[in-house]
Amino acid sequence: MSIVGDLGDDAGRPLQPDHDWPFFDADFSVPAQMLAQVQALTPRAAALLWTRHVSAHPVETHPMQLREEHRLQPTIAGPEWLAEFDAVSSEHPAQSGRVAAFLVSHFQAAGAAPVLFMASRELAYALTPAALVACWPCLLALSDESPLLYQPATGKFVWCRPHGALAGGEDGQESAP
């Protein structure tokens, strides 16, 4: 069953050790029950969600290509993710730091509504908020070039900037059709 139900069951694929390697890396220690709450999206589904929630402009295919006046402008500063990313281990799980606390507080309003990790128009994952808190280092291992976290149910988003800063906000406009 798809985490993003309105796209249908064929919108996602199971996580695969070769393509989605960080989720299976022992350094990140992601429990199986969390992996079950992560869905890799097909490029077609990712493109549809990008067009619907981020940008329909053909040249804006990556978060760093969005124009300066794009409607998703951060209004909330978050903690630095880079130092915590480097410290994640079995002794220091991803769920125990300031990044996890920021993500929980930012995406808590919609309960289990999925959060999308969008590295580009064609690379995206859908996660429950609980899985996001456990798996954020895996996502940033896949792409740390300004990926966008977006929760369609609330319109809330978080930018993961390459220099290590998190910033968030809320989409105040209607999504593209």
Side-chain angles (χ1 to χ4, degrees), residues 18-45:
D18 290 341
H19 291 20
D20 313 301
W21 65 270
F23 293 100
F24 301 94
D25 190 306
D27 289 341
F28 295 122
S29 305
V30 179
Q33 69 268 24
M34 285 299 141
L35 290 180
Q37 298 175 45
V38 179
Q39 185 172 33
L41 300 179
T42 63
R44 184 196 65 74

Side-chain angles (χ1 to χ4, degrees), residues 85-148:
F85 176 88
D86 290 339
V88 169
S89 67
S90 58
E91 294 86 34
H92 300 288
Q95 304 92 308
S96 65
R98 292 178 36 212
V99 171
F102 179 76
L103 295 173
V104 166
S105 69
H106 197 68
F107 293 118
Q108 73 180 350
V115 177
L116 304 173
F117 172 81
M118 304 174 112
S120 69
R121 184 185 300 264
E122 295 182 349
L123 178 59
Y125 291 80
L127 306 90
T128 64
L132 173 62
V133 170
C135 297
W136 67 263
C138 300
L139 297 168
L140 291 173
L142 288 167
S143 174
D144 65 356
E145 295 181 350
S146 284
L148 175 68

